[in-house]
Amino acid sequence: MLNSITFLGTGTSTGVPMIGCHCSVCSSSNPKDKRLRTSAFVHYNGLKLLIDCGPDFRTQALANGIEDFDALLFTHQHKDHTGGLDDVRALNYINRKPTTIFCEQRVLEGLKMEYSYAFAQEPYPGVPKLDIHIIDEKPFEISGRQIIPIRAMHYKLPILGFRMGGLCYLTDANYIAEEELKKLNGLEIMVINAVRRGKHISHFSLEEAVCLARKIGAKKTFITHLSHQMAEDENKIKGTHADLTAEMPEGIFIAYDGLKVNF
């Protein structure tokens, strides 16, 4: 089987359309403008890896036929990236095994607060079964396949991206140190976040993401974690998937839910 990444969700924490909003992006009828919370499913040298497990995980799993995976990698502990963890209970039951998780210690502490019932000394019957492995910036292996963490900053919160062979997946960041960028040489596919056009306190802007993509120099870059704020209706600046695609330089693409890319 070819290595591939499937974008399960490409939206920001509110999703697109956002509840109560009627901007041009939220009102678009194009399916590529319907964005669930950001997550990805990767086939990598025989492994099936889920990256983040947000509030839309059940919908994403059903839509993409996900019935099992070898490991769940968490980038960080924010709710839009961890809020679907309870739904792994179904796979625990069907596959008769716990869910293997790789995450940092701070992420585990967040999970313990959010899902205290799953970590109780005497857990209630039917809670998620979790097999947690703590990681940091050092490379680690899953069944002999190397994963290279990429340290980045989400405002003041340290988060991790992950390099898997020719693919790097990085979301929810607005700063990457030069020494971390060196880990990204020779990429086929780079995935990076851009939440809106204007500068943001904790995410790359569209312009910043494009500039970073050019600096990294992957053969192809896909932008994810987009909000409806790519449109600025008061300034008549458009921001739908079609609009953004028309703006992108060669080799840079706007991701959308359900997109599958081989690498």
Side-chain angles (χ1 to χ4, degrees), residues 178-235:
E178 287 296 325
E179 57 266 29
E180 295 299 300
L181 289 175
K182 293 176 183 177
K183 300 177 183 178
L184 304 180
N185 291 333
L187 284 177
E188 292 182 50
I189 303 292
M190 180 72 199
V191 179
I192 195 168
N193 65 293
V195 73
R196 67 186 187 196
R197 291 183 184 273
K199 196 166 182 64
H200 190 275
I201 192 172
S202 59
H203 291 269
F204 291 118
S205 68
L206 183 59
E207 181 180 3
E208 289 169 337
V210 169
C211 288
L212 184 59
R214 285 171 164 160
K215 184 174 183 177
I216 292 169
K219 291 181 180 178
K220 294 182 179 179
T221 295
F222 292 85
I223 296 177
T224 191
H225 209 290
L226 296 98
S227 79
H228 68 144
Q229 291 177 312
M230 287 296 172
E232 297 178 4
D233 289 350
E234 66 277 12
N235 298 321

Side-chain angles (χ1 to χ4, degrees), residues 1-15:
M1 178 179 290
L2 290 172
N3 289 343
S4 65
I5 178 171
T6 300
F7 292 87
L8 304 181
T10 56
T12 189
S13 58
T14 60

Side-chain angles (χ1 to χ4, degrees), residues 245-257:
T245 296
E247 295 179 27
M248 290 300 100
E250 184 177 358
I252 301 179
F253 306 88
I254 302 297
Y256 57 88
D257 291 17

Side-chain angles (χ1 to χ4, degrees), residues 5 22-23 47 65 84 88-89 96 105 108 162 169 211 215 220 222 234 236 258 261:
I5 178 171
H22 303 283
C23 73
L47 288 177
V88 304
R89 291 183 297 120
R96 301 181 183 276
Q105 183 65 41
L108 174 57
F162 299 103
Y169 183 92
C211 288
K215 184 174 183 177
K220 294 182 179 179
F222 292 85
E234 66 277 12
K236 301 188 185 306
V261 181

Side-chain angles (χ1 to χ4, degrees), residues 74 77 82 85 101 103-121 130 132 134:
F74 276 122
Q77 66 269 35
T82 64
L85 185 59
I101 293 174
C103 67
E104 294 191 88
Q105 183 65 41
R106 68 172 63 84
V107 177
L108 174 57
E109 296 308 315
L111 296 177
K112 286 180 176 179
M113 289 191 291
E114 189 70 30
Y115 300 98
S116 58
Y117 55 89
F119 295 92
Q121 285 190 338
L130 311 173
I132 297 181
I134 299 301

